[in-house]
């Protein structure tokens, strides 16, 4: 079939080559293998059937009945996805013009389009939020002041972008989201400084220069403290590691860059502009009429509403604190009762679905092709039914494959013959254009498919954004491979009863039956060797590749194989082997055959066999998903363990969730410690930080209520928002308490609290409102592209919005209660100074109070509650909550008694 060079002649100007290349079927059939003396010739065509076939081996793709091929273009980690897709589009358009009629190039799964849509969505909502922030500033501040305060937004943002560029960060969905979060927060520092300077000029009558200078000086410590605590809070996110830590890594660095830029602008640039703004404000221009009207209303509200309300809060401080604690407990009950679910990572849905199948050992490529065509048929039928119901065909594109998997592929595919694998990649229309999710499409598709008799495994999986393992992943271990496979099949059968569960797979795939041959004494006596026997059988069973040659742009091969009819189940009995002496003997006479069956690959961990069962779980209904996880944890896994004597552990997304929550808890603790130390340094007190940080738990009131109101489950992005909110929510408390301490130097504590809350109400309201309004457009965004960011938006918007109201109630009540505690400590010291009599009286009072708390349930119910034992942490926590609640009730009674008996005490004091 090929020529062979024989050498050169003469001076090398001519080359000698023997033979003529023969590559067509007719030419190969005419090749003579043997010539007899009588002239008879035996050719290849006389003893073999020559068939010309296409590329029936390896991977092949189809769109409908048409052959297809897929080219995947990936970007480097620092590449620009949008620019790269534009280049690919240009190349495809240029190449399309050169292709034959009927051949098309289609761009599928163009992720850059999704990236563009998401970035545009964030930019549109960010600009809308910026407009709302500016409108609010111009309503509460005069035009010039509002203008210079608003100027800090682009200055800080551009400085942050420059810092991101220096630090190697990119503008992506997460970093852009962090910038939008800071739209309202970035002006908080400037609002506090500018508002105080404006207040000094209006209320104290200071000249513009003095008001601008002293406004910046007076608010210097509170503003620095507020910025540092927010920086520390977001820095706590850096502690979170793993894949999800990498996902949110851009948030803390972006936020910190914006905050530091805002702090520099607030003290180095803003005061000079405030001097000019205050000087021009004396002219009372017409365009300041809205702010003057709002400020008059604010002045009336502060004098007529805020001060009386604060006096009532101080007077009824203990009932107010009890009410706030009850409010916090009511929101915690929503979470504990399950009205607000927790879904660790509710990834936004993509429009891609991948289906994969694996055939049993013994199946052929034709069987795989039949299963592939069935997947195509089922996809078309499901799409037609949904189009009839909803009016729109949901399938945008579908590519079927054989010889390999689609998308992620099966867990057991690595050890499978490629001809036994196949799959389909389906592109659905945008989620916003259909009323059902990809999970519902998968459920309908699975019910439509007719399973091939030789099908071993079938799995459909919806595409998801971001990192994360399988929603359901269970490792089984502790017994033989056969026992583990039985347990895995049992677990998959139990989970398959839930339509919300798809992509059921395990990592223990069946292998082909293996026939092990060993020479008999007769075979050894005839001169056979096991190596030569193996080579001979390999040539007969697998065929021989006689030659390869180029055929246009591809390569071709000539193979010598036995007919398929010869490779039947009785091959071992019919095969004759040629002995060294030339005689033919039956293969069954010279070998013994041992049949073994098992698994293609058995995974081990620390020496123990492990099989992993994984599945995908629909997140459309968070309550249903939580119920399935509960059933898996409390019912299904224990039943499988008991039935098959195996042990198990949950891995995949659950393991990543545990790692994330552990890092988040560590980050939260470190952030709280850092915030406390920062506040202790600013206030030069060990107790004032406790008062400031006491408002942090009350941020949960708004956060949980917001998730309940919107029907959105708590997620890892809610935790990110809570950690960040812990630094933002105390900003108002810092400004408020610093003003209280300043006023208390010249008047009593209670009048100082009333006046400080009234005077600081406007900046507190303005800083909170700008933050909430900056996030409001994203809160009402209905696009599925922003769904996974909504938990953070809800946490910050509702947490800070409710937090502002709670700060105005909690801080005055706690400050007044702190004064009571100080008086009680002084009284206790005076009692101890009386000697044993005072000590005995204090001990008796404490014993009576503790006895009332502990024995109150027994007195009411007639028997002691069973959970008073402290055998486990849950009961101990319940007992602690009960004791704290009882103590709070006693404190309320004591406070009410003091209020009701106050006139009598005053009368006695007068007498």
């Amino acid at each position: 079939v090929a020529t062979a060079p024989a050498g050169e002649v003469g001076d090398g100007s001519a080359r000698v080559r023997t033979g003529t290349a023969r590559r067509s079927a007719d030419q190969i059939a005419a090749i003579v293998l043997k010539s007899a003396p009588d002239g008879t010739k035996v050719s290849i065509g006389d003893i073999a059937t020559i068939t010309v076939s296409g590329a029936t081996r390896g991977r092949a793709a189809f769109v409908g009945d048409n052959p297809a091929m897929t080219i995947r273009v990936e970007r480097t980690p620092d590449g620009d996805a949008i620019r790269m897709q534009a280049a690919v589009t240009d190349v495809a358009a240029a190449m399309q013009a050169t292709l034959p009629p009927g051949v098309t190039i289609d761009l599928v799964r163009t992720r850059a389009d999704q990236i563009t849509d998401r970035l545009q969505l964030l930019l549109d909502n960010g600009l809308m939020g910026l407009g709302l922030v500016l409108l609010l500033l111009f309503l509460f501040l005069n035009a010039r002041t509002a203008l210079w305060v608003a100027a800090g937004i682009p200055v800080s943002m551009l400085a942050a972008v420059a810092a991101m560029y220096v630090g190697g960060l990119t503008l992506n969905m997460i970093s852009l989201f962090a910038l939008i979060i800071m739209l309202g927060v970035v002006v908080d520092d400037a609002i506090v400084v500018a508002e105080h300077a404006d207040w000094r000029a209006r209320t104290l009558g200071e000249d513009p220069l003095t008001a601008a200078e002293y406004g910046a000086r007076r608010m210097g410590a509170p503003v620095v403290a507020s910025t540092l605590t927010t920086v520390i809070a977001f820095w706590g996110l850096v502690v979170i590691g793993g894949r999800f830590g990498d996902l949110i890594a851009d948030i803390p660095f972006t936020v910190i860059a914006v905050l530091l830029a805002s702090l520099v602008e607030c003290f180095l640039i803003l005061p000079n502009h405030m001097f000019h703004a205050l000087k021009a404000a004396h002219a009372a221009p017409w365009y300041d009429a809205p702010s003057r009207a709002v400020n008059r209303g604010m002045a009336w509200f502060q004098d007529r509403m805020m001060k009386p309300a604060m006096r009532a809060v101080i007077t009824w401080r203990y009932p107010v604190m009890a009410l706030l604690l009850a409010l916090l407990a009511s929101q915690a009950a929503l979470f504990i009762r399950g009205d607000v679910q927790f879904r660790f990572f509710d990834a936004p849905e993509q429009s891609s679905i991948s289906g994969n199948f694996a055939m049993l050992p013994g199946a052929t490529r034709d069987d795989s092709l039949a299963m592939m065509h069935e997947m195509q048929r089922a996809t078309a039928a499901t799409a037609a039914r949904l189009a009839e119901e909803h009016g729109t065909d949901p399938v945008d594109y579908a590519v079927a494959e054989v010889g390999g998997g689609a998308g992620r592929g099966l867990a057991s595919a690595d050890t499978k013959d490629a001809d036994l694998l196949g799959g389909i990649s389906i592109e659905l229309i945008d989620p916003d254009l259909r009323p059902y999710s990809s999970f519902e499409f998968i459920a309908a598709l699975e019910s439509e498919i007719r399973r091939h008799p030789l099908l071993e495994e079938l799995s459909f999986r919806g595409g998801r954004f971001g990192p994360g393992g399988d929603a359901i992943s269970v490792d089984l271990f502790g017994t033989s491979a056969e026992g583990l496979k039985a347990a895995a099949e049992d677990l998959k059968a139990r989970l398959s009863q839930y339509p919300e569960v798809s992509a059921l797979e395990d990592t223990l795939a069946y292998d082909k039956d293996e026939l092990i041959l060993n020479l008999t004494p007769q075979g050894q006596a005839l001169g056979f060797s096991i190596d030569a026997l193996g080579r001979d059988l390999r040539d007969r069973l697998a065929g021989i590749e006689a030659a390869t040659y180029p055929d246009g742009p591809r390569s071709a091969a000539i193979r010598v194989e036995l007919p398929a009819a010869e490779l039947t189940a009785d091959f071992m009995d019919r095969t004759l082997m040629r002995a060294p002496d030339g005689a033919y003997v039956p293969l069954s006479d010279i070998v013994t055959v041992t049949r073994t069956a098992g698994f293609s690959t058995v995974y081990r961990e620390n020496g123990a066999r492990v099989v992993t069962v994984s599945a995908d779980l629909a997140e459309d209904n968070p309550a249903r998903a939580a119920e399935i996880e509960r059933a898996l944890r409390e019912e299904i896994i224990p039943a499988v363990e008991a039935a098959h004597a195996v042990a198990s552990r949950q891995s995949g997304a659950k393991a990543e969730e545990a790692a994330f929550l552990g890092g988040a808890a560590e980050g939260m603790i470190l952030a709280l410690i850092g915030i406390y130390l920062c506040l202790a340094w600013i206030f030069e007190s060990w107790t004032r930080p406790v008062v400031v940080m006491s408002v942090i738990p009350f941020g949960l009131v708004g956060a949980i209520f917001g998730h309940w109101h919107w029907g959105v489950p708590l997620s890892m992005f809610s935790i990110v928002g809570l950690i960040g909110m812990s630094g933002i929510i105390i900003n108002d408390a810092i400004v408020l308490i610093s003003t209280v301490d300043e006023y208390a130097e010249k008047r009593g504590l209670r009048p100082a609290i009333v006046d400080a809350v009234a005077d600081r109400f406007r900046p507190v309201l303005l800083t909170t409102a700008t933050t909430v309004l900056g996030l409001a457009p994203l809160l009402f965004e209905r696009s599925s592209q922003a769904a996974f960011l909504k938990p953070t938006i809800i946490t910050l918007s509702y947490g800070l919005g409710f937090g502002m109201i709670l700060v105005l109630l909690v801080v005055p009540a706690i400050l007044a209660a702190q004064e009571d505690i100080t008086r009680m400590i002084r009284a206790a010291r005076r009692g101890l100074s009386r000697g044993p009599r005072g000590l005995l009286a204090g001990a008796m009072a404490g014993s009576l109070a503790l006895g009332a708390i502990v024995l109150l349930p027994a007195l009411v119910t007639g028997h002691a509650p069973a959970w008073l034992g402290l055998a486990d942490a849950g009961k101990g926590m319940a007992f602690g909550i009960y004791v704290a609640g009882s103590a709070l009730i006693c404190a309320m009674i004591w406070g009410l008694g003091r209020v009701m008996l106050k006139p009598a005490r005053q009368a006695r004091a007068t007498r």
Side-chain angles (χ1 to χ4, degrees):
V1 294
T3 61
E8 297 178 350
V9 296
D11 56 357
S13 59
R15 181 183 297 113
V16 178
R17 183 178 294 275
T18 60
T20 303
R22 302 179 184 182
R23 293 176 179 175
S24 67
D26 294 338
Q27 292 174 340
I28 294 175
I31 295 175
V32 177
L33 295 178
K34 187 176 182 181
S35 297
D38 60 357
T40 304
K41 297 180 180 179
V42 179
S43 65
I44 293 179
D46 295 332
I47 63 172
T49 301
I50 302 174
T51 304
V52 179
S53 60
T56 58
R57 299 176 182 271
R59 201 178 192 112
F62 300 88
V63 175
D65 295 329
N66 300 315
M69 63 180 297
T70 302
I71 300 176
R72 187 180 181 92
V73 182
E74 297 280 358
R75 69 175 180 88
T76 59
D78 55 349
D80 189 325
I82 299 175
R83 187 178 303 168
M84 185 186 71
Q85 180 172 317
V88 172
T89 303
D90 293 340
V91 171
M95 187 175 178
Q96 180 67 66
T98 65
L99 296 177
V103 179
T104 61
I105 299 178
D106 298 322
L107 297 182
V108 185
R109 294 187 178 180
T110 50
R111 298 292 178 240
D113 288 341
Q114 297 182 9
I115 295 173
T116 303
D117 293 341
R118 290 170 181 161
L119 293 179
Q120 190 62 46
L121 180 146
L122 290 177
L123 286 173
D124 292 344
N125 285 273
L127 291 175
M128 191 181 303
L130 178 60
L132 293 174
V133 170
L134 294 177
L135 177 63
L136 190 67
L137 291 176
F138 277 91
L139 283 177
F140 279 84
L141 303 173
N142 66 70
R144 287 177 175 267
T145 301
L147 178 64
W148 291 119
V149 170
I153 298 177
V155 171
S156 301
M157 292 295 178
L158 291 175
V161 170
M164 292 168 59
Y165 174 77
V166 173
L169 301 182
T170 61
L171 275 178
N172 52 56
M173 194 169 187
I174 299 300
S175 60
L176 190 59
F177 174 60
L179 290 175
I180 293 176
I181 289 177
M182 300 309 296
L183 273 177
V185 180
V186 73
V187 294
D188 286 359
D189 297 346
I191 287 174
V192 171
V193 173
E195 193 280 335
H196 189 66
D198 182 66
W199 176 82
R200 297 183 75 91
R202 288 186 296 103
T203 306
L204 303 181
E206 294 180 347
D207 62 273
L209 180 60
T210 303
E213 180 181 352
Y214 279 93
R217 286 187 178 182
R218 171 62 190 85
M219 289 292 110
V223 167
V224 170
S226 301
T227 302
L228 289 181
T229 53
T230 307
V231 167
I232 292 171
F234 277 97
W235 188 256
L237 297 175
V238 178
V239 178
I240 302 175
R243 299 172 65 187
F244 288 97
D246 296 337
L247 174 65
I248 63 171
D250 287 354
I251 292 180
F253 290 106
T254 304
V255 168
I256 290 171
V258 173
L259 289 173
L260 295 180
S262 170
L263 188 64
V264 172
E265 190 274 339
C266 176
F267 289 108
L268 297 185
I269 301 174
L270 181 63
N272 179 60
H273 295 307
M274 280 303 303
F275 163 66
H276 296 288
L278 293 176
K279 186 165 61 175
H282 289 294
W286 62 268
Y287 47 78
D288 282 341
S291 65
R292 288 197 295 269
V294 171
N295 286 328
R296 282 195 299 269
M298 287 296 300
W300 178 88
F301 182 80
Q302 291 170 358
D303 290 336
R304 301 295 181 88
M305 302 295 291
M306 285 301 300
K307 289 185 177 181
M310 285 304 103
R311 294 189 187 100
V313 168
I314 293 173
T315 301
W316 299 85
R317 52 194 174 279
Y318 294 104
V320 167
M321 292 167 59
L323 194 62
L324 294 175
L325 285 174
L327 183 62
L328 178 60
S330 69
Q331 298 309 303
L334 288 178
F335 178 71
I336 295 172
R337 193 169 58 234
D339 294 342
V340 177
Q341 300 290 334
F342 178 79
R343 307 301 303 158
F344 172 60
F345 183 58
D346 191 6
E349 178 184 319
Q350 291 188 5
S351 298
S352 301
I353 293 176
S354 60
N356 288 281
F357 67 84
M359 307 300 287
L360 285 168
T364 64
R365 185 179 178 89
D366 290 336
D367 296 325
S368 299
L369 282 169
M371 187 63 212
M372 184 200 73
H373 291 311
E374 170 57 22
M375 295 179 78
Q376 290 178 308
R377 184 207 64 79
T379 301
T382 303
R385 181 166 60 81
L386 292 175
E388 182 179 355
E389 293 178 6
H390 302 283
T392 304
D393 187 350
V395 176
D396 190 40
Y397 212 84
V399 180
E401 299 179 68
V402 70
R408 173 177 141 177
L410 296 172
S412 59
D414 292 342
T415 57
K416 284 283 188 181
D417 184 350
D419 286 343
L420 302 182
L421 300 174
I424 188 170
S425 299
I426 304 170
E427 287 296 309
L428 301 180
I429 59 178
D430 191 90
D432 296 332
L433 302 178
R434 45 187 163 88
Y436 47 87
S437 68
S438 61
F439 286 111
E440 296 176 76
F441 184 90
I442 288 174
L445 180 57
E446 287 182 328
S447 63
E448 177 67 29
I449 282 187
R450 303 163 189 163
R451 300 174 72 91
H452 193 280
L454 296 179
L455 179 67
E456 177 183 358
E457 197 168 24
L458 176 66
S459 171
F460 285 94
R461 188 180 300 274
R464 288 293 175 268
F465 169 81
D470 294 297
I472 296 176
S473 181
V474 181
D475 294 339
L476 302 173
F477 53 91
T479 186
S480 64
E482 292 76 10
L484 290 176
K485 184 64 176 179
E489 293 297 332
D490 187 11
L491 179 58
K492 290 194 293 185
R494 294 173 187 266
L495 285 173
S496 64
Q497 300 174 8
Y498 298 96
E500 295 84 359
V501 176
S502 61
L504 277 166
E505 305 174 13
D506 69 74
T507 57
L508 198 57
Y510 288 111
D511 199 4
K512 297 179 181 178
D513 287 347
E514 192 172 60
L515 304 179
I516 302 175
L517 307 183
N518 288 295
L519 284 174
T520 63
Q522 179 183 354
Q524 295 175 357
L526 291 174
F528 287 97
S529 68
I530 198 66
D531 294 335
L533 187 65
R535 287 192 298 271
D536 197 354
L537 288 175
R538 187 182 306 112
D539 292 342
R540 297 190 186 196
L541 295 174
I544 301 173
E545 189 172 280
T548 59
Y549 58 90
D551 184 13
R554 306 177 62 181
S555 62
I558 298 176
R559 295 186 57 82
V560 181
E561 299 178 350
L562 287 176
E566 295 290 329
L567 303 177
T568 57
D570 59 348
F571 173 80
M572 303 295 295
D573 297 325
R574 294 184 295 99
T575 298
L576 298 176
M577 303 300 296
R578 185 176 183 180
D581 60 1
Y584 286 90
V585 295
L587 176 62
S588 57
D589 291 345
I590 61 173
V591 297
T592 59
V593 182
T594 304
R595 181 185 296 269
T596 62
F599 305 98
S600 57
T601 302
V602 177
Y603 295 93
R604 294 179 180 270
E605 185 175 323
N606 296 326
R609 301 181 188 89
V610 177
V611 58
T612 300
V613 177
S614 60
D616 205 0
L617 180 62
E619 301 285 353
D620 305 49
N621 187 341
R624 179 62 174 166
E627 174 61 24
I628 294 174
E629 289 184 343
R630 184 207 60 78
L632 173 67
R633 183 176 60 255
E634 299 178 6
E635 300 172 11
I636 297 177
I637 292 179
V640 171
E641 289 178 341
H644 300 276
V646 297
S648 69
R649 66 169 179 264
Q650 287 190 280
S651 55
K654 285 298 179 184
E656 294 174 358
E657 176 183 345
F660 178 89
L661 294 179
E666 183 180 349
M668 188 70 176
I669 292 172
L670 292 176
L672 292 177
I673 293 174
I675 290 172
Y676 177 83
L677 294 177
C678 178
L679 293 176
W681 168 62
I682 294 294
F683 285 106
E684 298 180 352
S685 169
W686 297 111
T687 57
R688 275 292 185 259
V690 176
V691 179
V692 174
M693 297 175 67
S694 63
V695 304
I696 293 177
F698 292 97
L700 290 171
V701 174
I704 296 178
F705 173 79
H707 284 79
W708 174 79
H709 175 72
W710 286 91
V712 175
L714 292 163
S715 71
M716 60 165 285
F717 284 100
S718 304
I719 297 174
V720 171
L722 287 173
I723 294 176
M725 187 183 66
S726 65
I728 300 175
I729 197 172
I730 63 176
N731 292 349
D732 296 336
I734 292 172
V735 174
L736 189 59
I737 292 176
S738 63
T739 306
V740 170
D741 291 341
E742 179 187 7
Y743 288 179
E745 295 176 358
K746 301 177 181 179
R747 66 195 84 171
L749 178 63
R750 296 186 182 183
I753 295 174
V754 173
D755 293 341
V757 172
D759 291 343
R760 295 291 93 198
F761 176 70
R762 188 171 74 146
V764 167
L765 174 63
L766 195 53
T767 54
T768 302
T770 52
T771 302
V772 173
L773 286 179
L775 298 172
L778 275 175
L779 185 63
F780 292 93
E781 177 59 55
R782 296 183 178 274
S783 172
S784 61
Q785 301 292 344
F788 80 107
L789 299 175
K790 187 161 283 190
T792 305
I793 303 296
I794 292 174
T795 300
L796 292 176
S797 299
Y798 279 80
L800 295 176
F802 278 70
M804 182 203 73
I805 300 173
L806 297 178
V807 163
L808 296 176
L809 298 176
V810 171
V811 171
I814 291 180
L815 288 174
Q818 190 180 38
E819 184 185 28
D820 293 338
I821 294 172
T822 302
R823 291 177 178 176
M824 292 172 63
I825 293 175
R826 292 173 183 170
R829 287 177 179 173
R830 287 196 298 269
L832 291 175
S833 65
R834 296 182 180 181
R837 181 179 177 184
L839 184 62
L840 179 61
M844 290 178 60
S847 300
L848 287 174
L850 183 60
I853 293 171
V854 176
L855 297 178
L856 184 60
L859 295 174
V860 174
T861 62
H863 58 83
W867 46 263
L868 280 177
L870 302 179
D872 57 72
K875 294 179 180 178
M877 184 178 299
F879 176 70
I881 294 174
Y882 178 80
V883 171
S886 301
L888 187 60
I889 292 173
C890 293
M892 288 173 55
I893 295 172
W894 177 78
L896 287 172
R898 284 182 59 86
V899 172
M900 296 173 64
L901 296 176
K902 185 176 181 180
R905 291 199 307 271
Q906 291 176 345
R908 287 197 302 271
T910 304
R911 290 196 300 269

